[in-house]
Amino acid sequence: MEHRGGSRQKGDGVPKENSPFINSTDHDKNTSYDGNNMALFEEEMDSHPMVSSFLDKLVNYTNLTQGAHEHEEADEEEGSKKKTVKSPQMGTFMGVYLPSLQNILGVILFLRLTWIVGTAGISESLAIVGLCCSCTMLTAISMSAIATNGVVPAGGSYYMISRSLGPEFGGAVGLCFYLGTTFAGSMYILGTIEILLTYIVPQAAIFRAKRKEEEVDALLNNMRVYGTCCLSFMAIVVFVGVKYVNKLALVFLACVILSIFSIYAGVIKSIFDPPDFPVCMLGNRTLQNHNFDKCLKTEIIDNLTVTTKLWKLFCDGPNINATCNEYFTNNNLTLIQGIPGLTSGVIFENMWSEYGPLGMLVENRKLSSFGESNPTKDIYLPYVVNDISTFFTLLVGIYFPSVTGIMAGSNRSGDLRDAQKSIPIGTILAIATTSFIYISSVVLFGACIEGVLLRDKFGDSVKGNLVIGTLSWPSPWVIVIGSFFSCCGAGLQSLTGAPRLLQAIARDGIIPFLQVFGHGKANGEPTWALLLTAGICEIGIIIASLDAVAPILSMFFLMCYMFVNLACAVQTLLRTPNWRPRFKYYHWALSFLGMSLCLAIMFISSWYYAITAMAIAGCIYKYIEYRGAEKEWGDGIRGLSLNAARYALIRLEDAPPHTKNWRPQILVLLNLDSVQGVKHPRLLSLTTQLKAGKGLTIVANVLQGTYLMKEAEAKKAEQNIKSAMSAERTKGFVHVVVSSNLRDGISHLIQSAGLGGMKHNTVLMGWPGTWRQSSDPLSWRNFIETVRETTAAHQALLVAKNVDSFPTNQDHLGSGTIDVWWVVHDGGMLMLLPFLLRQHKVWKKCKMRIFTVAQMDDNSIQMKKDLQMFLYQLRLDAEVEVVEMHDNDISAFTYEKTLVMEQRSQMLKQMHLSRTEREREIQSITDESRSSIRRKNHGATENLNVSRQSSTAEDTQEDEAQLIHDKNTASHVAMNDKAEAGPDQVHMTWTKDKLLTERNRSREPNANMAVRDLFNMKPEWESLNQSNVRRMHTAVKLNEVVVNRSQGAQLVLLNMPGPPKNRGGDENYMEFLEVLLEGLSHVLLVRGGGREVITIYS
């Protein structure tokens, strides 16, 4: 069967997962179906193949081995004929069990386990082993569940975590696993060099200690030099021929198994014939047995008493009467057996811990001792001492790497005949086997080896022999050579596996700066990744101490294992439909326990390393999130988010938000141009400044037509809006609706946008600036209907005029004011909006000023005091000004404005003109009215009749205008109740008594008209609707006051009057608003939603 054909996108490190089978070809897509039985489905065969062909592809699916994708890519580029990859044939034993065994057993077992047993005692050593093995066993159970939940292509643990927890977690944990594997390579190389220089060829050391206290530094420097050489050699081997590394893997495994068998053989032999490894003790102190042969102070040769080499180490000369160390003089030398044997009873002495600080002498408590230790002198003497401070948590960190390597089976999933069966069985069996080996080794070492020898890390007391080697049979060299090759092999495999893991992460394309490491040689070998891996490995080698490197890689592996457990727990608890593992012996509680153990061990072993590792993972997570992970892998975290969102939405549905929690949840109505580009992107800037990423934002648009015809345009519009939102840093959702007409589309959005309790409560839109020039009267009618519908839906409305000149998110207004004109009380929206805006960096330095309007009979001073107290209780910092509007007569300018408006409106109704003619006609009407040219009496009489018929009805209706949202509000800002002050403003805040008084007065036939400007009125003014005159007067006077005070403000917030209930006056309403806003550059008209949104209470 052919591999997947066609070109792959850059960065695809794994087969495309949107296909149910991976090796689908382009050829398959073009196959047609000939026949009658399935004719009903023949048109959909491309996207919905026949079940038979689907099953055929699934059965013949070839899971490519690791690195094969790279080979395939290279072949495609060369245009050569594709090779057929052999089907994987490895079973559980060879494919999973043995590789896992080889990876788990390693350097710590041979070089440090005896020392751990001696230091921590058998009891605490068993606790350490039990803790670490339990952690890996629980992780293996979780891993088995994930690995058997569908096909796991080569990529192992990284693939499993990233596809279960998403690209952010996948990238973070993948890199942690990579760093862990890389530092493991350092540890194995350091182990190799330690075995080489300490036990095989000590004379090869370049740096030699002249004094005893310099031995540690000399050893570390030797490790650095030889380690760097060894790393360079291994990197070259991996670069030149990785296939040879894989072929030698079996040899390395044989060394490990042979070494372990030799240990067990030595234990059995020690029952009846313990090996002879005497340890020389001075008092109760252990001596380094390098520079002397006999454990004697003096010996008799030819009847003469002569001093030994040991005497010279403690005395200032070889003479019998030389001055010697006091402790050496007072105590006797004794020889004890280093390996007393299994039946000696030494197990009881080794049961408890012997922790101590750096430089502490290794002592046998059973032996007698005279004299105190003197650290300043003892450091120069050949005693065995602690080379590091020891405590329980340190030993956990040093031991943990010996249980890592459980992912070896899943990493080879591409080579297995049946990965879903082999991975769980092989991995769990390998962990069970190694756990048994470790636990039995702890007990047997404690039962066979003397405590002082166990605590002798480098075997100085037994002539530099490897401690574990002294127990083995037939010779210590079996263990030394076996462990040397084992460490070599493990180091090579780490240097082979880590670059491939980095390459897989790089090719996934989720971390852009790593993409260079996705490239390699023509055959797919990751050259750049190998260089980086060698560089990071060198850091571990410069550290040089095996005991210091081990906790570092423990952290990274523990992070990885923790997230494997988390992935399994999340998937199990979410019960996602795709979660159907073949491995059934898992439970979310076990996964959580495994995760908790991993976290506990991280902080137990080294809290500062744990915090560092978590910080690195967190930074990678935030980086991937910040750059925008474009991969969608159907991960569990997304499922978790959906569940959490559903739960929160159901909770939100229970009750509306309290006033204290109220914030604008905005529906932004955007206009698009003919190519679906966003017309006013500054609306999105304003939204960002108003929201600062909090709450709900829905950006909506309506396309006119039918969905079937406009589907492509709707998708394009959605993408364009998303791009604009990204550019303006607006966080929210996009909702594009296709409707037969714009009016219905906007209505549907206002009614149904959002979900459950997450619905908008505020509508933001731009002012239709070109409504006068528009050939379509629907342009301004739609606007007014939107105003009406938001009022009916009890939603707030924000209308931005000149929005294209509003500041962008990059602007920083260094000074200026945000002016609030509080004419009517609308629930506090006018107070809340400037406060929210000033939270954003753009408006942060702007001051807030609040203006309110007083009439002649209002006490301005008291109003100002009351308002200042109100703002103080609201915890708002703002300047307060009370503006007095005098009771002026209606000016000639107001009458002229009203006349122009009514005549224009009347003529447009009578004439069906083209756009150009209409604009010309409007201009001529304006010119005529301004030069006061009389109109024909017939036209004036008609207008008079029309206006008089409608006047009575409108006067009654205007008393019930929509601006009243809180009829019980105190009349602090009430207008004058005398005729010309503007009834619209009066009834917004009037009390019930004042309202009744005005109604009675308005019913008196022309009560004030006789006294008023009757003598000054021009004949054409008599025909005007007096309601319109009063409204225009309000607009003109209020505009004068606002322009006078706020023309230089950065933003003016103003109450938005409501549209008339009589739809016949809609166009006049637009004129009123135009007059009200004239001369102001940045205006936000605000209309409350009918509820309080700000409170003085805590």
Side-chain angles (χ1 to χ4, degrees):
M1 175 184 162
E2 285 187 332
H3 299 320
R4 177 164 52 86
S7 62
R8 290 192 298 146
Q9 294 177 355
K10 183 182 178 184
D12 281 358
V14 294
K16 290 182 180 175
E17 295 148 37
N18 55 0
S19 169
F21 35 83
I22 297 173
N23 297 324
S24 57
T25 64
D26 291 338
H27 171 72
D28 299 328
K29 295 179 181 176
N30 299 325
T31 55
S32 59
Y33 173 78
D34 295 324
N36 298 322
N37 290 342
M38 293 291 167
L40 192 59
F41 298 97
E42 62 187 5
E43 289 185 359
E44 294 182 317
M45 284 296 176
D46 286 346
S47 56
H48 299 75
M50 291 284 291
V51 172
S52 56
S53 61
F54 170 78
L55 291 175
D56 180 55
K57 288 173 192 170
L58 207 55
V59 168
N60 292 325
Y61 158 65
T62 303
N63 192 352
L64 300 179
T65 54
Q66 194 164 4
H69 290 300
E70 294 90 321
H71 289 282
E72 179 189 0
E73 203 168 60
D75 293 340
E76 284 173 3
E77 287 169 5
E78 291 164 12
S80 59
K81 189 176 178 181
K82 291 179 183 173
K83 303 171 188 174
T84 303
V85 178
K86 278 180 66 178
S87 294
Q89 292 298 324
M90 297 182 81
T92 304
F93 187 74
M94 289 296 291
V96 181
Y97 180 74
L98 289 182
S100 297
L101 211 62
Q102 181 188 356
N103 275 262
I104 296 170
L105 298 169
V107 62
I108 301 294
L109 170 65
F110 300 122
L111 295 184
R112 293 289 181 271
L113 192 58
T114 51
W115 173 72
I116 289 171
V117 173
T119 306
I122 294 172
S123 56
E124 290 184 30
S125 297
L126 287 173
I128 293 171
V129 172
L131 188 69
C132 296
C133 290
S134 301
C135 176
T136 52
M137 180 61 84
L138 291 169
T139 304
I141 291 169
S142 299
M143 186 191 75
S144 298
I146 298 171
T148 58
N149 185 50
V151 177
V152 178
S157 56
Y158 162 68
Y159 183 93
M160 289 192 296
I161 295 165
S162 61
R163 271 50 177 185
S164 296
L165 291 178
E168 293 92 352
F169 276 114
V173 181
L175 277 184
C176 280
F177 191 52
Y178 162 73
L179 290 171
T181 309
T182 305
F183 275 107
S186 299
M187 186 185 74
Y188 290 127
I189 291 169
L190 290 173
T192 304
I193 302 305
E194 185 176 310
I195 294 165
L196 183 73
L197 293 180
T198 311
Y199 307 114
I200 299 178
V201 277
Q203 59 273 23
I206 298 170
F207 299 92
R208 296 184 181 277
K210 293 179 181 177
R211 294 181 299 175
K212 181 174 178 288
E213 64 269 24
E214 296 173 354
E215 285 179 358
V216 174
D217 292 333
L219 175 64
L220 294 182
N221 287 330
N222 285 320
M223 299 276 268
R224 290 182 182 111
V225 173
Y226 278 98
T228 304
C229 296
C230 183
L231 172 63
S232 306
F233 174 72
M234 285 185 173
I236 291 167
V237 169
V238 171
F239 178 76
V240 171
V242 71
K243 58 184 177 183
Y244 300 114
V245 176
N246 292 329
K247 286 178 180 175
L248 287 170
L250 211 58
V251 176
F252 299 138
L253 177 61
C255 291
V256 175
I257 293 171
L258 190 64
S259 300
I260 289 167
F261 276 126
S262 77
I263 293 167
Y264 284 113
V267 168
I268 295 167
K269 180 177 176 291
S270 74
I271 297 171
F272 49 86
D273 183 16
D276 183 31
F277 284 98
V279 176
C280 187
M281 307 291 294
L282 175 62
N284 65 356
R285 301 178 185 178
T286 313
L287 296 177
Q288 290 186 347
N289 190 359
H290 287 298
N291 301 317
F292 60 90
D293 301 318
K294 297 174 183 177
C295 188
L296 297 168
K297 293 183 182 180
T298 58
E299 59 180 337
I300 299 171
I301 301 175
D302 299 330
N303 293 325
L304 290 174
T305 302
V306 293
T307 56
T308 60
K309 290 181 180 179
L310 184 58
W311 178 279
K312 296 168 187 173
L313 296 175
F314 284 89
C315 302
D316 58 5
N319 300 326
I320 199 78
N321 56 356
T323 305
C324 295
N325 176 270
E326 185 183 351
Y327 190 86
F328 179 75
T329 306
N330 294 339
N331 290 276
N332 294 323
L333 289 166
T334 51
L335 272 177
I336 61 170
Q337 273 301 327
I339 313 288
L342 189 61
T343 55
S344 63
V346 76
I347 187 170
F348 301 108
E349 297 168 21
N350 293 331
M351 191 61 72
W352 311 112
S353 61
E354 289 278 353
Y355 299 120
L358 169 67
M360 188 185 86
L361 299 171
V362 175
E363 299 174 337
N364 186 331
R365 307 284 183 195
K366 288 192 303 178
L367 299 177
S368 58
S369 173
F370 302 98
E372 296 297 321
S373 61
N374 185 352
T376 54
K377 292 182 180 178
D378 292 343
I379 194 169
Y380 301 105
L381 299 172
Y383 294 126
V384 177
V385 296
N386 282 356
D387 66 328
I388 57 170
S389 297
T390 54
F391 38 89
F392 178 81
T393 56
L394 173 80
L395 299 186
V396 174
I398 292 173
Y399 172 75
F400 189 81
S402 65
V403 296
T404 59
I406 62 172
M407 300 289 189
S410 63
N411 287 345
R412 287 168 174 75
S413 56
D415 301 325
L416 302 173
R417 191 183 304 120
D418 184 358
Q420 297 196 10
K421 179 184 174 187
S422 298
I423 289 175
I425 296 172
T427 306
I428 290 170
L429 276 179
I431 292 172
T433 306
T434 52
S435 299
F436 171 77
I437 291 170
Y438 285 130
I439 290 168
S440 62
S441 295
V442 166
V443 175
L444 294 174
F445 292 163
C448 295
I449 304 174
E450 180 61 48
V452 290
L453 182 54
L454 283 173
R455 294 198 296 283
D456 182 3
K457 187 187 285 185
F458 301 108
D460 293 321
S461 60
V462 284
K463 294 192 179 296
N465 273 301
L466 181 61
V467 175
I468 197 172
T470 60
L471 182 61
S472 64
W473 180 87
S475 164
W477 286 102
V478 176
I479 293 279
V480 172
I481 302 300
S483 58
F484 177 78
F485 282 114
S486 166
C487 291
C488 274
L492 280 170
Q493 287 189 323
S494 294
L495 285 178
T496 307
R500 278 164 174 67
L501 181 59
L502 182 63
Q503 189 180 42
I505 297 168
R507 291 200 165 192
D508 261 346
I510 56 173
I511 305 176
F513 69 81
L514 287 182
Q515 285 189 347
V516 65
F517 299 109
H519 307 301
K521 292 196 291 187
N523 64 349
E525 289 300 321
T527 314
W528 293 108
L530 178 61
L531 280 174
L532 180 67
T533 303
I536 297 171
C537 247
E538 182 62 23
I539 295 171
I541 284 163
I542 289 169
I543 294 171
S545 169
L546 188 72
D547 302 320
V549 172
I552 296 175
L553 69 103
S554 293
M555 289 306 125
F556 291 121
F557 277 120
L558 280 164
M559 283 283 289
C560 180
Y561 296 167
M562 184 171 75
F563 281 105
V564 168
N565 284 303
L566 176 64
C568 181
V570 165
Q571 298 277 36
T572 308
L573 287 173
L574 288 179
R575 297 191 181 93
T576 46
N578 192 49
W579 181 246
R580 302 185 298 274
R582 287 195 175 281
F583 179 78
K584 300 297 181 188
Y585 307 102
Y586 67 93
H587 193 271
W588 64 266
L590 292 176
S591 299
F592 267 119
L593 181 61
M595 188 176 73
S596 306
L597 270 178
C598 289
L599 196 60
I601 294 170
M602 282 175 72
F603 281 93
I604 284 171
S605 55
S606 175
W607 63 267
Y608 45 89
Y609 278 156
I611 290 171
T612 306
M614 292 173 87
I616 290 170
C619 289
I620 299 164
Y621 178 96
K622 292 308 289 182
Y623 174 77
I624 297 171
E625 187 181 54
Y626 170 73
R627 289 302 300 260
E630 297 175 0
K631 303 289 179 183
E632 172 50 63
W633 289 325
D635 52 85
I637 292 296
R638 189 174 175 81
L640 192 63
S641 302
L642 284 169
N643 261 24
R646 173 184 150 277
Y647 174 76
L649 282 171
I650 290 170
R651 287 290 302 274
L652 275 177
E653 194 82 83
D654 292 345
H658 190 272
T659 303
K660 287 185 283 189
N661 298 327
W662 195 95
R663 66 166 62 247
Q665 318 288 4
I666 298 180
L667 171 67
V668 185
L669 297 178
L670 273 189
N671 284 334
L672 303 183
D673 54 27
S674 56
V675 291
Q676 276 71 54
V678 176
K679 271 188 181 176
H680 305 296
R682 295 286 175 88
L683 266 179
L684 297 175
S685 304
L686 179 61
T687 307
T688 304
Q689 293 156 22
L690 201 56
K691 302 287 289 179
K694 305 291 192 300
L696 173 73
T697 303
I698 302 172
V699 183
N701 173 253
V702 179
L703 294 179
Q704 198 163 349
T706 61
Y707 184 67
L708 291 177
M709 300 295 290
K710 297 273 187 176
E711 182 195 358
E713 285 183 39
K715 292 281 189 293
K716 183 182 176 185
E718 192 171 323
Q719 286 305 315
N720 290 348
I721 293 173
K722 280 182 180 175
S723 301
M725 287 173 70
S726 177
E728 299 295 339
R729 296 184 181 177
T730 307
K731 294 180 180 178
F733 308 99
V734 179
H735 199 162
V736 177
V737 171
V738 182
S739 177
S740 55
N741 61 72
L742 296 177
R743 176 70 254 121
D744 289 347
I746 294 172
S747 178
H748 292 154
L749 284 170
I750 290 171
Q751 293 175 60
S752 62
L755 180 65
M758 272 302 261
K759 288 184 72 69
H760 63 278
N761 54 28
T762 306
V763 176
L764 172 62
M765 60 195 299
W767 171 258
T770 58
W771 69 275
R772 280 176 171 155
Q773 288 79 38
S774 175
S775 59
D776 182 11
L778 288 177
S779 64
W780 51 267
R781 288 196 184 278
N782 285 344
F783 173 78
I784 296 174
E785 288 302 310
T786 304
V787 177
R788 287 195 173 105
E789 287 189 355
T790 52
T791 305
H794 300 291
Q795 294 171 6
L797 177 65
L798 308 178
V799 179
K801 189 187 179 191
N802 299 330
V803 71
D804 290 331
S805 63
F806 274 45
T808 65
N809 292 326
Q810 283 70 44
D811 295 336
H812 291 272
L813 302 177
S815 61
T817 60
I818 301 175
D819 287 0
V820 176
W821 283 85
W822 193 24
V823 180
V824 296
H825 181 59
D826 58 354
M829 275 288 283
L830 281 169
M831 309 290 181
L832 188 62
L833 292 175
F835 169 76
L836 293 174
L837 281 173
R838 289 178 65 214
Q839 304 302 303
H840 197 274
K841 62 183 180 182
V842 173
W843 302 93
K844 202 172 189 66
K845 294 186 179 178
C846 291
K847 291 183 178 178
M848 179 176 164
R849 296 194 301 180
I850 295 185
F851 297 89
T852 189
V853 179
Q855 298 302 306
M856 287 299 290
D857 56 351
D858 288 324
N859 186 339
S860 301
I861 298 171
Q862 187 60 41
M863 278 180 70
K864 186 169 183 177
K865 285 182 180 176
D866 292 345
L867 185 52
Q868 283 173 336
M869 177 55 67
F870 182 52
L871 290 176
Y872 176 76
Q873 290 173 334
L874 287 175
R875 290 91 63 206
L876 293 177
D877 184 23
E879 293 178 22
V880 174
E881 289 191 41
V882 177
V883 179
E884 295 183 350
M885 283 184 69
H886 298 293
D887 190 14
N888 294 336
D889 292 335
I890 299 175
S891 65
F893 176 71
T894 303
Y895 278 110
E896 287 292 350
K897 278 265 186 188
T898 313
L899 181 64
V900 172
M901 176 185 76
E902 288 202 356
Q903 288 179 342
R904 175 183 179 278
S905 177
Q906 187 66 24
M907 292 195 71
L908 288 181
K909 287 174 185 173
Q910 292 175 354
M911 301 167 66
H912 184 67
L913 302 173
S914 69
R915 180 174 180 177
T916 312
E917 290 169 329
R918 184 179 298 185
E919 288 174 3
R920 197 181 302 123
E921 186 65 27
I922 289 166
Q923 189 60 46
S924 68
I925 292 169
T926 307
D927 294 341
E928 285 174 350
S929 64
R930 281 183 180 164
S931 57
S932 300
I933 297 173
R934 285 177 170 275
R935 288 278 156 233
K936 291 182 181 180
N937 286 333
H938 176 68
T941 308
E942 266 186 48
N943 286 339
L944 186 60
N945 291 336
V946 171
S947 65
R948 281 179 180 163
Q949 286 169 11
S950 63
S951 177
T952 309
E954 286 197 9
D955 284 349
T956 307
Q957 288 165 348
E958 40 180 73
D959 291 335
E960 301 164 356
Q962 293 77 17
L963 282 169
I964 304 174
H965 296 313
D966 187 354
K967 293 179 181 176
N968 299 320
T969 307
S971 58
H972 265 317
V973 289
M975 297 292 180
N976 187 5
D977 57 342
K978 297 183 180 179
E980 295 87 17
D984 275 47
Q985 290 179 322
V986 173
H987 66 234
M988 285 189 279
T989 52
W990 272 6
T991 60
K992 189 174 180 182
D993 294 338
K994 286 189 178 183
L995 189 64
L996 292 171
T997 307
E998 176 59 23
R999 275 182 176 167
N1000 292 332
R1001 290 182 62 194
S1002 65
R1003 286 178 185 134
E1004 296 173 16
N1006 300 324
N1008 295 322
M1009 287 296 290
V1011 186
R1012 213 171 41 188
D1013 300 322
L1014 192 59
F1015 300 106
N1016 299 326
M1017 287 180 68
K1018 295 182 181 179
E1020 61 264 36
W1021 293 352
E1022 294 177 11
S1023 65
L1024 298 178
N1025 182 331
Q1026 293 309 306
S1027 169
N1028 285 344
V1029 173
R1030 289 197 302 275
R1031 287 168 184 263
M1032 184 63 79
H1033 177 68
T1034 301
V1036 170
K1037 293 301 292 179
L1038 192 54
N1039 174 259
E1040 282 177 10
V1041 174
V1042 174
V1043 169
N1044 184 36
R1045 296 300 187 95
S1046 299
Q1047 193 163 25
Q1050 298 286 6
L1051 182 64
V1052 177
L1053 278 80
L1054 187 63
N1055 284 116
M1056 182 179 184
K1061 285 191 175 179
N1062 179 7
R1063 281 171 164 69
D1066 283 358
E1067 190 173 359
N1068 297 343
Y1069 172 71
M1070 296 296 288
E1071 289 282 1
F1072 296 143
L1073 291 183
E1074 280 284 7
V1075 171
L1076 182 62
L1077 304 178
E1078 196 173 346
L1080 298 171
S1081 55
H1082 301 144
V1083 187
L1084 194 61
L1085 286 170
V1086 180
R1087 197 162 157 69
R1091 63 162 292 172
E1092 293 293 332
V1093 299
I1094 195 165
T1095 177
I1096 63 174
Y1097 299 106
S1098 62

